Amino acid sequence: MSGLTIAISGFIAMCTYLVTSRMIPRFKDMFINANLYGKDLCKRDQPQVPESFGVLIGCAFLVAMFFFIPIPVTFEKAAMPDVQTGAKPATFPHEEFAEMIAALLSICCMILLGFADDVLDLRWRHKLLLPTIATLPLLMVYYVNCNITTVILPKFARPLFGYSLDIGIFYYIYMGMLAVFCTNAINILAGINGLEVGQSVVISASVLCYNFIELAQRHQMDCHKFSIYLMLPFLAVSLALWKYNKYPSQVFVGDTYCYFAGMTFAVVGILGHFSKTLLLLFIPQILNFLYSVPQLFHFVPCPRHRLPKYDPKTDLLHISTTEFHPRELNILGSVMVYILKKLKLISWKEQSDGRVITNNFTLINFVLVVFGPVHEKVVTQFLLGFQLICTIFAMIIRYPLASCFYDT
Ligand code: UD1
Ligand code: MG
């Protein structure tokens, strides 16, 4: 029966893709009239592009899910006769239903908060607070439904701590932090056409592949089915958005989409019980975050926009830069910058007055530091290719290597 529900989910996803890709162009003017637009900074004439299309995409996703919710309940449970009596079970699958509703509540909450961020341009500390609040429904249902807070330890740690360790409240803190990370990590690996959506498409397709591999091996079937039910419509709406957001962008996704995408991944990772594997699929985002730490926590000056600088003469992107005097940095800042400089991970130009110009610490700028000025489309393709390679790498770690550390 699960094959049938997955097929229905796929059918709903396909319909959602068709409807959404027809809807997006019709809403462009409406967004511009409502002053929801941004300048495409990497183009010659910096055209006005409608922004925050994530809100439309998020709504399309929610509607698709609302149509889908009754399906697994009706098909799977009603069709499964009781083994002993042969009678159909009278009990309603409360737990699965509660999980699905809580997942959608968290995602819906994140769409709302993301849209508030787009409209009100919130400060950094709020960006950390919003996803924490939005995960609360999820953590509540996790607490009520299963409250499993034990982690299986790798083989080498078992002589010391045993087979598993109950980390209690820290498991909840970890889950909350996962949501904060996923939402913001996508938002800060952004600024060139198609990158936010492109990376989400690659990650969701990878998650789907992983779920199907696990289903085929009959591992934790309920968890992976739950993930597939959310990922199929997510991939559908993201592909529709990609059509209009890829170079040259006709619409921008806004923080709404970044938060929506991040939260959807966090939800499937947490309730699907594969948060470690999910983090493996976020390797480029983790690298970008680590590289960004000196600027995110203001050890090094961080301008409002860190996206690359456009050169209208050549139509290529150059690194965007930040400027400081080494004396202005505190000890931690100096150590971080020293390490990055020694490892040749940043560009470094000293001026006569002792001030230094370096690139902004993002993966996009790093590509430009290594390869020199490149066209916007090529940078996006390069980063998406890297995301794909990381997925393959993640699968190698997940399958052959994990068996060295765990008994999978
Ligand atoms: C994050 C980044 C910021 C980056 C911005 C770009 C951090 C701490 N913040 O900020 O450095 O500049 O995303 O999205 O890393 N835009 C384009 N082309 C695109 C996409 C966006 O020019 O393909 C510009 C548009 O002017 C658009 C604006 O970026 O209006 C959106 O920026 P916003 O999402 O508000 O920036 P943040 O998420 O706060
Ligand atoms: Mg943003």
Side-chain angles (χ1 to χ4, degrees):
M1 261 304 156
S2 61
L4 184 59
T5 42
I6 291 174
I8 293 176
S9 171
F11 176 72
I12 293 179
M14 248 162 56
C15 297
T16 314
Y17 170 80
L18 293 175
V19 173
T20 315
S21 46
R22 291 179 71 113
M23 233 161 57
I24 294 172
R26 292 172 195 208
F27 275 80
K28 279 200 279 190
D29 290 339
M30 207 185 271
F31 274 66
I32 293 201
N33 290 340
N35 276 339
L36 286 171
Y37 58 81
K39 278 188 191 154
D40 195 341
L41 302 170
C42 299
K43 300 288 176 303
R44 197 161 278 134
D45 42 357
Q46 300 206 341
Q48 282 181 350
V49 178
E51 176 117 41
S52 302
F53 261 71
V55 72
L56 188 75
I57 295 303
C59 290
F61 169 84
L62 288 176
V63 172
M65 286 310 299
F66 295 154
F67 277 113
F68 175 73
I69 286 174
I71 309 287
V73 177
T74 322
F75 276 94
E76 281 188 30
K77 299 295 168 185
M80 201 186 296
D82 193 303
V83 184
Q84 262 135 36
T85 60
K88 290 183 179 174
T91 50
F92 184 79
H94 286 288
E95 289 193 357
E96 281 97 336
F97 190 64
E99 280 194 352
M100 188 59 96
I101 297 290
L104 294 185
L105 185 58
S106 279
I107 294 171
C108 184
C109 196
M110 204 63 245
I111 295 172
L112 174 70
L113 296 173
F115 193 55
D117 187 8
D118 272 335
V119 177
L120 305 174
D121 222 351
L122 299 176
R123 306 179 63 133
W124 244 100
R125 53 172 174 271
H126 299 131
K127 295 192 188 223
L128 299 182
L129 193 66
L130 300 184
T132 318
I133 295 171
T135 26
L136 287 181
L138 198 67
L139 299 187
M140 288 306 133
V141 83
Y142 190 88
Y143 177 72
V144 174
N145 262 8
C146 64
N147 193 22
I148 299 170
T149 52
T150 42
V151 282
I152 310 284
L153 294 175
K155 284 177 193 165
F156 64 82
R158 285 178 198 165
L160 284 177
F161 302 103
Y163 179 78
S164 61
L165 194 67
D166 189 356
I167 55 171
I169 182 82
F170 293 105
Y171 199 80
Y172 285 89
I173 295 176
Y174 161 73
M175 291 191 285
M177 282 168 68
L178 184 75
V180 175
F181 173 75
C182 289
T183 47
N184 284 295
I186 294 178
N187 190 29
I188 62 172
L189 185 52
I192 51 173
N193 290 181
L195 190 57
E196 294 105 316
V197 187
Q199 61 186 300
S200 307
V201 166
V202 176
I203 296 173
S204 57
S206 312
V207 170
L208 275 171
C209 286
Y210 171 67
N211 293 147
F212 279 113
I213 294 173
E214 289 288 291
L215 266 192
Q217 298 183 344
R218 308 199 149 263
H219 289 161
Q220 295 188 307
M221 309 240 323
D222 283 343
C223 294
H224 293 290
K225 269 189 284 175
F226 171 83
S227 169
I228 290 172
Y229 297 155
L230 284 159
M231 279 293 115
L232 280 173
F234 176 80
L235 182 61
V237 291
S238 298
L239 282 172
L241 185 58
W242 165 255
K243 250 174 93 172
Y244 300 93
N245 181 245
K246 64 179 192 226
Y247 181 90
S249 286
Q250 298 174 41
V251 303
F252 279 159
V253 300
D255 292 348
T256 320
Y257 178 80
C258 301
Y259 290 168
F260 157 58
M263 196 56 165
T264 312
F265 293 133
V267 162
V268 296
I270 292 171
L271 292 182
H273 300 280
F274 58 89
S275 59
K276 278 182 289 177
T277 308
L278 180 74
L279 282 175
L280 283 177
L281 299 175
F282 268 75
I283 292 173
Q285 287 71 19
I286 294 175
L287 292 179
N288 184 54
F289 170 74
L290 293 177
Y291 191 44
S292 295
V293 161
Q295 285 197 309
L296 291 183
F297 297 101
H298 294 286
F299 292 109
V300 170
C302 180
R304 166 70 183 86
H305 277 293
R306 304 192 295 160
L307 49 82
K309 209 167 70 199
Y310 177 71
D311 178 8
K313 280 195 212 101
T314 54
D315 197 29
L316 300 180
L317 296 186
H318 294 249
I319 52 167
S320 64
T321 54
T322 182
E323 198 184 317
F324 55 88
H325 197 293
R327 269 205 311 262
E328 290 165 13
L329 307 181
N330 60 20
I331 298 180
L332 263 176
S334 306
V335 172
M336 287 174 186
V337 167
Y338 177 79
I339 295 173
L340 288 172
K341 187 185 160 201
K342 275 283 162 215
L343 295 175
K344 294 202 173 13
L345 294 176
I346 48 174
S347 66
W348 188 267
K349 226 187 256 167
E350 262 172 55
Q351 292 176 306
S352 50
D353 58 357
R355 292 182 72 78
V356 171
I357 299 179
T358 71
N359 60 295
N360 283 311
F361 304 169
T362 66
L363 212 54
I364 308 175
N365 278 311
F366 180 70
V367 171
L368 300 173
V369 169
V370 176
F371 294 100
V374 184
H375 191 265
E376 185 175 2
K377 196 174 170 183
V378 180
V379 188
T380 312
Q381 283 168 350
F382 185 89
L383 285 168
L384 294 185
F386 179 59
Q387 184 89 46
L388 209 60
I389 292 171
C390 287
T391 294
I392 297 167
F393 178 69
M395 287 299 147
I396 294 173
I397 294 187
R398 173 64 186 82
Y399 287 107
L401 282 187
S403 57
C404 305
F405 299 104
Y406 296 95
D407 15 41
T408 46

